[in-house]
Amino acid sequence: MDEFKLPAPDNPASMQDEWTSSQLSANNAGYLEALFETYLQSPDDIPTQWRQFFDKLPRINGYKQDTSHAAIRSQFRLGDKAPGFIHTPSSPSHMVKQLRVLQLINAYRFLGHQVAEIDPLDLNPSPYPSELKLDHYQLDSTDLDTSFQTGSLVGIERATLREIIARLETTYCGHIGAEYMHINATAEKRWLQQRLEGSYGQPPPETNKRLYLLQRLTAAEALERHLHSRYVGQKRFSLEGGEGLIPLLDILIERAGLAKIQEVVIGMAHRGRLNVLINIMGKAPSDLFQEFEGLHQGNALAGDVKYHLGFSTDRMTAGGPIHLALAFNPSHLEIVGPVVEGSVRARQDRRGDNEGRQVMPVIIHGDAAFAGQGVVMEALSMSQTRGFSTKGTVHIVVNNQIGFTTSTRDDARSSYYCTDVAKMVNAPILHVNGDDPEAIAFVTELALDYRQYFHKDIVIDLICYRRHGHNEADAPEVTQPMMYQRIKTLPTARARYAERLIHEGLIDESLVRDLAKDYRAQLEAGPVVTPNQVGQDLKHDFSVNWRRYTQGDHSLEDVVATDVTLDKIQSLSEKLQWLPEGFALHPRVAKLLEDRRKMAAGAMAIDWGYAETLAYASLLDNGYRVRLCGQDSARGTFFHRHAILHNQLKRGVHIPLSQIGSHPKDFVVIDSLLSEEAVLAFEYGYATASPDTLVIWEAQFGDFANSAQVVIDQFISSGEEKWARHNGLVLLLPHGYEGQGAEHSSARLERFLQLCANQNMQVCFPTTPAQIFHLLRRQLIRPIRKPLIIMSPKSLLRHKLAVSSLDSLTDGLFQTVIDEIDDIPSRLIKTLVFCSGKIYYDLLERRRRDNRNDVALIRLEQLYPFPETEFKRVIHKYRQANQFVWCQEEPRNQGAWPVLSWTLNQTLGMERPLMQCVARPPSASPAVGHFELHTHQQHQLMNAIFNP
């Protein structure tokens, strides 16, 4: 048996026969075992071919994976009756204990964080898990000095049990509690073990770095004390008790610079925000003092409280300059997270940063909000998806161990930690004692490196406390007496760290006093106190110029040309019709494309889906980008869009619009996860950083927008007025009463109109394909960026009357008001019926059926800003009219009427009769759920107009 041949791996058909006849067949097991035993003890005593074969077996760290089993088998046979039996490394008893030691090591990796010293207050120590006790593994003190293999424990291959436990205690039960064993990927767990266990409990950093940490803690504390004494009783949501956040952010930014990250976008709520603005972002203290003193700054119309304001600047790091942006934020906790993610994705797309190596998001959370706000879960769910990934976010939880007055463990959540929600995406979680700046520095560098290496989210749980309660006027000891008795006796993080450095002989007390004195002097002087700040005026290759949209006399009343030449439409249509060779369409989709070919040739009227597609194509051709996102946006909820075509014979897709523009990624369409709040916030954030992209969020049904109402209220409608933040986001909200019930009828038009003021946004209700074509084009071509709310159709997508001619795209523009379209002499008109949306076609068909020539139908296509000039121009010609009616599908207390009634009557003028409203009866529900009742109400509406 000196010669043998293994079966060829590329010939699976013959593999079974070859293995059966192979020398490695099970029939030869006994011979192979004996041969291998000889090889292990005396390799030269076996045939050359076999020695060469065994030599090629995989090795670990250069050593053979196995040893001779003969002695072990003999010992097992004899057991403890063997002559001279002792607990040697090869004894069965030792082997059992060896296994249990490895289990103990693993238990520390899983559970060490539960007993780690991560709470500066040490109020609720956790019971010691039995899995971390020796007796759980039938071990005791007599085993402590026995030597064991350490398995995968990094840093030592063999040590006494005492040494192993000491290393595990230091690594996993000190001021860092690491949770990572829930991660599915073994490579990630091994990487984290290498960093955690290899450091043997984070060795102290260099002296200069320790002094820098003390200086940063001094800055964080001194600012709060200065504000506390200078502006007594004013709210500032201080960082006292969580001052470790400042060195954490400093180290994170410096590490990011070394990693060649170019931009960091930060989102955070109000806790500690002023401290971050001054000590991290580089806002001048004098500007903050003016805000405390009530002096208005900035060009925002209404402004906002100082702890909601954002800031951007540039900072020099050891690795080069880095741009920092702190997002503006309302009091709705956690909602800024997906906004920041959207802004980061836009910046990454602009740079072509597909790996997320140049732009990074950092989100700072509160502990109660992280566990309690559902948008956190939604944003985490988005973190690795195609359309929303930013290649890893560093999450920092400023864990005050309380939610306003809600106790953490009893009422604030059901999970062990506030961070447990992050486990859903296999994110590592690093709990750290907020009073240990060196531990903070260690986990911060680890978090940044993990994000850069694996392109995934990671969480730092900075466990601290609030020294002054929820705000500076609070009396927290009323509801948390034990906690605040402890806090009152606790030295600050700066004092504790200074004492530690003094004790180690690195500094003396005079240096501690001088650091505080120097910082207070800088504060009083007023200029920037942040180290290494470059300023706000640096120009970047990838910066966005918003000035062209914010300066000048542009307004929402500007009229711009949005028509496209016939040659261009036909050229674009030809590109949209092209299919890869062998690409098989679904029959219904093939029919749709054939119809669109006829539409482009003028042989068939243009429908809504194709007009919308042509709008995107023409904008792409003009050099703009398009991003369309929603739960069914690629195909379209109502089977009308088909922006992505699916091959019916084999796996593969084709995106016609990606064939237009300078790059295929200029057009992006995303079927989003089932989320409204986080996804809409993401798209808003994207639009804030990409003014030359048509960013569209489409609701599956318009009603579902109410799940994202906080985004609409706090960002879309008021962001410009509060923060002077411009945004061109488009919302497509399918709206119309087809008898499908309360949750599939109304996009809550009245709510959007109630939010309108000072030309903050646009609310439009287009009724023809040409109108949507020009409306979408106007959104980018007009030199102004305002949110656009579109009440989009459902049944009108295939309505026989809701079509347009090719001429209306090549020679036209968006009409804010559409006059009567039938050829009725204006002198015959006695009643003017004003309406918006789908009900127009019901009115038109009824009037034509009844042959009424005394009623004119006028469509209001833009509801806000109200098109007063055009409205007056249209009604001026109907001098004989003596009855004016507003007709709407929605109940009388909903829809446009409650908001627009005063404006409509004011525009009509005192010389005309008051406008009346024809609508469904007032209702607490948007629509009825029974189709028969819906139909009855619709007949009543028509009768009220034509048979009053």
Side-chain angles (χ1 to χ4, degrees):
M1 297 185 64
D2 287 352
E3 297 181 2
F4 62 89
K5 182 180 71 172
L6 295 179
D10 58 350
N11 189 10
S14 63
M15 186 169 288
Q16 183 174 355
D17 293 338
E18 293 203 38
W19 274 118
T20 303
S21 60
S22 169
Q23 285 79 359
L24 300 184
S25 167
N27 296 329
N28 300 322
Y31 172 81
L32 289 172
E33 179 70 17
L35 199 65
F36 189 55
E37 285 285 328
T38 304
Y39 164 78
L40 291 171
Q41 297 178 52
S42 181
D44 293 334
D45 291 344
I46 66 172
T48 304
Q49 293 92 337
W50 279 110
R51 185 175 66 251
Q52 291 174 347
F53 173 70
F54 290 141
D55 282 342
K56 293 177 181 178
L57 291 177
R59 296 171 175 240
I60 296 178
N61 296 328
Y63 296 96
K64 298 172 184 177
Q65 291 194 38
D66 215 339
T67 58
S68 175
H69 296 178
I72 298 174
R73 287 197 298 269
S74 175
Q75 194 71 49
F76 264 110
R77 284 194 295 268
L78 293 173
D80 56 11
K81 298 183 178 62
F85 175 80
I86 57 173
H87 292 291
T88 65
S90 61
S91 71
S93 175
H94 183 86
M95 292 183 65
V96 170
K97 290 189 176 185
Q98 172 69 71
L99 176 62
R100 289 169 177 167
V101 168
L102 296 179
Q103 291 174 330
L104 175 63
I105 292 172
N106 223 33
Y108 270 95
R109 290 167 170 169
F110 273 99
L111 301 173
H113 58 87
Q114 292 187 9
V115 291
E117 299 173 0
I118 53 179
D119 181 4
L121 303 180
D122 195 25
L123 286 177
N124 300 296
S126 299
Y128 213 83
S130 62
E131 292 90 341
L132 300 184
K133 297 178 180 178
L134 290 179
D135 58 6
H136 184 77
Y137 303 96
Q138 290 81 52
L139 299 169
D140 57 37
S141 58
T142 63
D143 298 304
L144 289 175
D145 294 315
T146 302
S147 179
F148 294 94
Q149 292 287 338
T150 60
S152 61
L153 184 64
V154 177
I156 47 174
E157 294 184 3
R158 190 177 191 85
T160 65
L161 180 57
R162 189 187 307 277
E163 292 170 334
I164 291 172
I165 291 175
R167 192 177 191 94
L168 292 169
E169 288 280 338
T170 304
T171 301
Y172 290 108
C173 304
H175 285 178
I176 297 171
E179 284 191 279
Y180 64 89
M181 292 301 286
H182 57 276
I183 299 174
N184 292 331
T186 300
E188 293 181 37
K189 287 187 283 192
R190 293 289 180 257
W191 188 93
L192 288 162
Q193 286 166 6
Q194 187 70 39
R195 293 293 296 271
L196 291 164
E197 297 168 1
S199 71
Y200 193 26
Q202 61 355 269
E206 298 175 356
T207 300
N208 288 341
K209 188 172 184 179
R210 301 178 83 182
L211 294 177
Y212 186 74
L213 291 172
L214 178 61
Q215 192 278 332
R216 293 284 76 202
L217 280 176
T218 300
E221 180 183 297
L223 175 67
E224 298 293 356
R225 291 191 172 186
H226 184 83
L227 295 176
H228 188 69
S229 60
R230 183 168 178 171
Y231 303 105
V232 180
Q234 288 201 43
K235 283 185 182 180
R236 67 180 192 278
F237 296 98
S238 84
L239 190 59
E240 288 166 283
E243 294 94 338
L245 177 65
I246 297 305
L248 189 160
L249 289 174
D250 247 346
I251 292 164
L252 186 66
I253 292 166
E254 286 296 323
R255 193 78 166 187
L258 291 173
K260 302 304 178 184
I261 292 173
Q262 305 294 307
E263 297 184 68
V264 173
V265 185
I266 304 171
M268 68 179 298
H270 39 270
R271 175 73 51 200
R273 190 181 188 90
L274 300 184
N275 213 309
V276 170
L277 280 166
I278 299 300
N279 285 318
I280 298 297
M281 299 302 299
K283 183 172 183 175
S286 56
D287 291 341
L288 178 62
F289 299 157
Q290 288 185 15
E291 292 169 4
F292 268 101
E293 291 158 13
L295 298 178
H296 178 74
Q297 291 192 9
N299 55 359
L301 187 61
D304 202 355
V305 292
K306 49 191 168 290
Y307 38 79
H308 288 172
L309 301 181
F311 199 79
S312 62
T313 189
D314 292 279
R315 173 170 169 169
M316 184 58 67
T317 72
I322 192 167
H323 180 70
L324 305 178
L326 177 65
F328 292 80
N329 189 72
S331 279
H332 282 268
L333 303 177
E334 303 296 341
I335 192 62
V336 76
V339 173
V340 165
E341 300 288 354
S343 176
V344 167
R345 178 60 181 261
R347 295 164 192 257
Q348 291 174 344
D349 287 351
R350 189 160 63 243
R351 290 172 172 268
D353 182 19
N354 298 325
E355 296 295 324
R357 297 190 180 279
Q358 299 177 46
V359 190
M360 178 179 74
V362 175
I363 312 295
I364 304 172
H365 311 265
D367 52 318
F370 195 77
Q373 295 291 308
V375 72
V376 174
M377 181 278 292
E378 293 183 29
L380 286 170
S381 291
M382 297 159 61
S383 64
Q384 293 295 313
T385 59
R386 178 179 63 91
F388 305 101
S389 172
T390 53
K391 305 304 179 184
T393 298
V394 177
H395 299 272
I396 303 163
V397 179
V398 180
N399 191 337
N400 297 296
Q401 308 187 67
I402 189 173
F404 203 163
T405 62
T406 303
S407 298
T408 299
R409 291 287 178 87
D410 298 332
D411 300 307
R413 61 179 182 267
S414 297
S415 58
Y416 189 86
Y417 291 116
C418 66
T419 53
D420 283 351
V421 66
K423 293 179 181 178
M424 63 181 281
V425 292
N426 288 301
I429 301 165
L430 304 173
H431 309 279
V432 61
N433 190 309
D435 274 4
D436 186 345
E438 293 178 14
I440 291 171
F442 177 82
V443 300
T444 302
E445 293 176 353
L446 174 61
L448 190 281
D449 294 349
Y450 174 89
R451 187 266 176 189
Q452 290 298 97
Y453 194 83
F454 292 105
H455 309 294
K456 287 182 57 182
D457 290 28
I458 187 168
V459 180
I460 299 174
D461 183 17
L462 181 68
I463 301 178
C464 48
Y465 55 90
R466 295 176 184 163
R467 193 163 284 274
H468 297 298
H470 180 66
N471 61 61
E472 289 63 45
D474 196 13
E477 61 275 2
V478 171
T479 53
Q480 271 75 30
M482 297 299 101
M483 172 182 278
Y484 279 87
Q485 286 178 26
R486 171 65 174 146
I487 290 172
K488 286 180 180 179
T489 65
L490 195 68
T492 66
R494 168 185 168 272
R496 296 173 77 172
Y497 192 52
E499 182 180 356
R500 174 179 168 183
L501 298 185
I502 292 172
H503 178 74
E504 294 180 17
L506 290 178
I507 61 173
D508 56 26
E509 292 185 1
S510 63
L511 177 61
V512 178
R513 291 193 298 269
D514 288 345
L515 286 175
K517 181 181 177 181
D518 292 345
Y519 183 81
R520 284 195 299 269
Q522 293 179 59
L523 283 179
E524 292 291 351
V528 173
V529 297
T530 304
N532 304 320
Q533 191 200 28
V534 178
Q536 295 180 279
D537 299 321
L538 283 186
K539 302 299 181 185
H540 304 278
D541 292 339
F542 297 99
S543 59
V544 175
N545 179 18
W546 276 97
R547 292 184 178 180
R548 52 188 166 140
Y549 304 113
T550 60
Q551 295 182 348
D553 299 325
H554 304 299
S555 77
L556 290 176
E557 296 179 1
D558 291 349
V559 177
V560 295
T562 53
D563 56 312
V564 177
T565 66
L566 179 60
D567 287 345
K568 177 57 67 177
I569 284 181
Q570 291 178 338
S571 171
L572 293 173
S573 296
E574 187 175 341
K575 292 181 180 180
L576 293 172
Q577 297 295 328
W578 179 86
L579 291 174
E581 186 176 352
F583 196 93
L585 295 173
H586 187 279
R588 289 181 63 184
V589 178
K591 173 64 165 59
L592 180 140
L593 290 189
E594 179 59 29
D595 287 345
R596 289 181 176 180
R597 185 176 291 107
K598 295 176 182 177
M599 294 175 194
M604 186 175 178
I606 292 175
D607 65 10
W608 198 282
Y610 197 42
E612 181 190 328
T613 300
L614 285 173
Y616 301 145
S618 62
L619 288 170
L620 291 165
D621 187 67
N622 290 152
Y624 298 105
R625 298 170 65 240
V626 176
R627 176 183 169 92
L628 171 61
C629 172
Q631 285 158 20
D632 297 296
S633 290
R635 189 201 72 175
T637 298
F638 308 100
F639 208 83
H640 71 288
R641 182 174 292 123
H642 299 282
I644 296 181
L645 306 178
H646 294 262
N647 195 328
Q648 300 298 300
L649 296 181
K650 61 182 180 179
R651 185 182 297 273
V653 298
H654 173 61
I655 306 174
L657 283 163
S658 68
Q659 310 302 309
I660 301 170
S662 59
H663 193 280
K665 290 186 177 181
D666 286 350
F667 176 77
V668 175
V669 59
I670 302 151
D671 287 334
S672 71
L673 66 164
L674 195 61
S675 160
E676 286 84 31
E677 184 178 12
V679 170
L680 181 55
F682 187 101
E683 298 307 309
Y684 173 85
Y686 195 103
T688 62
S690 192
D692 290 329
T693 300
L694 182 67
V695 183
I696 303 173
W697 177 72
E698 180 179 47
Q700 192 176 51
F701 285 84
D703 316 62
F704 299 168
N706 60 14
S707 298
Q709 195 66 46
V710 61
V711 185
I712 296 164
D713 292 344
Q714 299 298 337
F715 291 97
I716 293 172
S717 66
S718 60
E720 181 180 353
E721 191 154 315
K722 292 189 296 187
W723 311 315
R725 298 293 94 182
H726 297 265
N727 194 291
L729 179 65
V730 178
L731 272 62
L732 291 181
L733 307 178
H735 176 86
Y737 284 58
E738 281 94 6
Q740 296 188 26
E743 278 73 55
H744 294 84
S745 299
S746 175
R748 296 290 195 174
L749 172 60
E750 65 279 358
R751 292 182 180 174
F752 291 97
L753 292 175
Q754 288 167 355
L755 294 170
C756 290
N758 302 316
Q759 291 205 345
N760 63 328
M761 59 183 183
Q762 311 152 86
V763 180
C764 296
F765 208 161
T767 55
T768 71
Q771 284 286 84
I772 192 65
F773 174 85
H774 292 293
L775 179 58
L776 291 173
R777 284 181 52 77
R778 184 184 77 167
Q779 183 68 2
L780 284 194
I781 292 174
R782 188 164 53 180
I784 191 170
R785 292 293 179 264
K786 304 274 186 173
L788 169 60
I789 314 301
I790 300 177
M791 299 289 115
S792 62
K794 296 181 291 180
S795 62
L796 286 194
L797 294 170
R798 276 171 286 277
H799 197 287
K800 61 183 179 181
L801 297 177
V803 293
S804 298
S805 66
L806 196 55
D807 292 344
S808 61
L809 309 186
T810 61
D811 184 18
L813 48 76
F814 179 72
Q815 303 176 71
T816 56
V817 180
I818 300 181
D819 195 3
E820 171 62 55
I821 64 169
D822 284 352
D823 189 15
I824 303 175
S826 59
R827 68 180 185 279
L828 300 179
I829 301 299
K830 303 298 182 184
T831 301
L832 289 183
V833 178
F834 302 90
C835 62
S836 287
K838 168 182 157 289
I839 199 170
Y840 164 76
Y841 291 101
D842 297 323
L843 292 167
L844 181 63
E845 289 183 300
R846 176 65 178 268
R847 190 192 64 189
R848 288 176 175 176
R849 191 195 76 183
D850 292 355
N851 292 318
R852 295 286 295 271
N853 60 4
D854 60 337
V855 177
L857 304 177
I858 299 172
R859 282 170 278 177
L860 202 58
E861 302 275 294
Q862 179 173 291
L863 301 170
Y864 187 86
F866 186 78
E868 180 178 349
T869 301
E870 190 63 17
F871 185 86
K872 286 181 176 180
R873 186 192 66 78
V874 169
I875 65 175
H876 181 71
K877 68 179 186 179
Y878 298 105
R879 299 179 182 274
Q880 307 303 317
N882 57 19
Q883 186 174 11
F884 303 88
V885 178
W886 174 264
C887 184
Q888 65 180 35
E889 289 187 296
E890 302 87 355
R892 186 183 181 92
N893 60 318
Q894 299 172 34
W897 177 252
V899 182
L900 286 188
S901 57
W902 185 87
T903 300
L904 289 166
N905 277 306
Q906 283 291 108
T907 310
L908 278 176
M910 298 295 292
E911 69 278 7
R912 295 185 178 92
L914 285 174
M915 188 176 292
Q916 305 300 311
C917 177
V918 171
R920 282 178 163 80
S923 172
S925 173
V928 298
H930 301 292
F931 186 77
E932 295 80 4
L933 180 55
H934 162 79
T935 304
H936 174 70
Q937 289 181 342
Q938 200 74 6
H939 284 309
Q940 285 185 317
L941 290 177
M942 297 300 104
N943 289 336
I945 297 294
F946 297 104
N947 296 310

